[in-house]
C-alpha cells in the first residue's frame, strides 16, 4: 500500500510541475504545458526541450500529453541534474504535427507546416523571447506522430536545434541533407 500511495502522489503531484497555458495567434489557439527549471533563476540561461506527443495524446485537455514523459521529466533527480525548460504543445484530435500518410513507405514533406506545427514554431519563438533560453541548447524529441513532427521541424529549422531524438516515427528522406549535422 505504501508503494501504491507513493506512486499515486508522485504521479498526481508531478503534473503540478507543468504550468497549463493556451497559446493564441491570429484567431487560432493551442494548449501547451511549460515546466520551468527546478530552482529557476531568471539571471541564468537554460536549455529548452520541445516534446511533441503521439497521436494517442491529441486533444485539447492539456493533460494527455504527459502520458509517456511525465515521470521522467518531472522527477526531482532529473530536474536537479538537468535543469531545463520543457515545452509540450498539444495537437488537436483530427490533426497531425505533419500532415502526411503515416502508413506510406515514404512521403514528401509538405511545403508549409501543418497548423499545429506552425503554432508550435511560433510558440517556441515566444517562449525563447520571454524566458532566458540558451539558443545553443534547444532540443526536440517526439514519440510516434511526434517523431514525424520532430523530423519535420528540424528540416524546417535546421539551425535551431542542438539535437533531436525522433522516436518511432518517420520523415522525408530527401530532407536528410538538411539535418545531417544535427546530433
Amino acid at each position: 500500500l505504501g508503494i501504491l500511495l507513493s506512486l499515486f502522489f508522485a504521479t498526481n503531484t508531478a503534473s503540478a510541475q507543468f504550468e497549463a497555458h493556451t497559446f493564441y495567434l491570429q484567431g487560432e489557439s493551442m494548449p501547451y504545458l511549460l515546466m520551468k527549471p527546478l530552482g529557476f533563476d531568471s539571471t541564468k540561461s537554460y536549455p529548452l526541450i520541445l516534446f511533441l506527443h503521439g497521436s494517442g495524446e491529441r486533444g485539447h485537455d492539456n493533460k494527455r500529453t504527459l502520458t509517456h514523459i511525465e515521470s521522467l521529466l518531472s522527477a526531482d533527480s532529473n530536474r536537479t541534474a538537468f535543469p531545463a525548460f520543457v515545452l509540450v504543445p498539444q495537437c488537436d484530435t483530427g490533426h497531425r504535427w505533419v500532415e502526411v500518410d503515416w502508413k506510406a513507405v515514404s512521403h514528401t514533406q509538405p511545403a508549409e507546416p501543418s497548423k499545429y506545427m506552425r503554432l508550435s514554431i511560433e510558440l517556441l519563438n515566444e517562449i525563447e523571447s520571454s524566458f532566458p533560453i540558451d539558443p545553443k541548447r534547444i532540443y526536440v524529441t517526439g514519440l510516434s506522430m511526434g517523431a514525424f513532427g520532430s523530423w519535420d521541424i528540424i528540416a524546417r529549422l535546421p539551425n535551431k536545434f542542438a539535437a533531436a531524438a525522433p522516436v518511432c516515427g518517420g520523415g522525408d528522406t530527401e530532407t536528410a541533407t538538411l539535418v545531417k549535422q544535427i546530433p
Side-chain angles (χ1 to χ4, degrees):
L1 180 61
I3 292 172
L4 290 176
L5 285 173
S6 294
L7 288 173
F8 173 80
F9 285 113
T11 301
N12 286 306
T13 57
S15 295
Q17 304 302 325
F18 287 87
E19 301 170 359
H21 301 276
T22 302
F23 179 65
Y24 296 96
L25 181 69
Q26 299 171 346
E28 298 176 317
S29 65
M30 178 180 65
Y32 72 94
L33 298 169
L34 180 66
M35 183 172 67
K36 294 177 183 169
L38 193 63
F40 173 63
D41 178 348
S42 63
T43 66
K44 293 183 179 180
S45 180
Y46 294 94
L48 179 138
I49 301 166
L50 172 63
F51 176 76
L52 301 175
H53 62 78
S55 64
E57 294 76 51
R58 288 181 287 187
H60 55 273
D61 67 350
N62 222 358
K63 293 178 185 173
R64 282 187 292 207
T65 55
L66 298 179
T67 300
H68 301 291
I69 63 161
E70 181 175 23
S71 60
L72 174 68
L73 293 177
S74 63
D76 283 346
S77 59
N78 289 332
R79 294 184 72 207
T80 299
F82 309 105
F85 283 88
V86 179
L87 178 60
V88 186
Q90 187 172 30
C91 183
D92 205 357
T93 305
H95 295 274
R96 299 175 180 187
W97 295 118
V98 55
E99 299 290 351
V100 295
D101 181 0
W102 300 329
K103 294 178 184 176
V105 174
S106 66
H107 70 267
T108 300
Q109 182 179 32
E112 296 298 320
S114 72
K115 171 184 176 176
Y116 286 92
M117 180 57 69
R118 181 177 44 78
L119 288 170
S120 295
I121 291 168
E122 293 297 331
L123 172 61
L124 178 59
N125 290 336
E126 183 173 301
I127 295 296
E128 262 193 287
S129 67
S130 300
F131 293 100
I133 306 298
D134 181 347
K136 294 181 180 177
R137 295 188 296 161
I138 297 176
Y139 308 94
V140 63
T141 186
L143 176 64
S144 190
M145 180 183 82
F148 278 88
S150 296
W151 186 282
D152 186 77
I153 198 170
I154 63 173
R156 291 182 191 286
L157 305 170
N159 298 316
K160 180 94 162 163
F161 297 94
V167 180
C168 300
D172 179 354
T173 56
E174 294 297 316
T175 64
T177 57
L178 299 172
V179 301
K180 66 183 180 182
Q181 80 287 356
I182 302 172

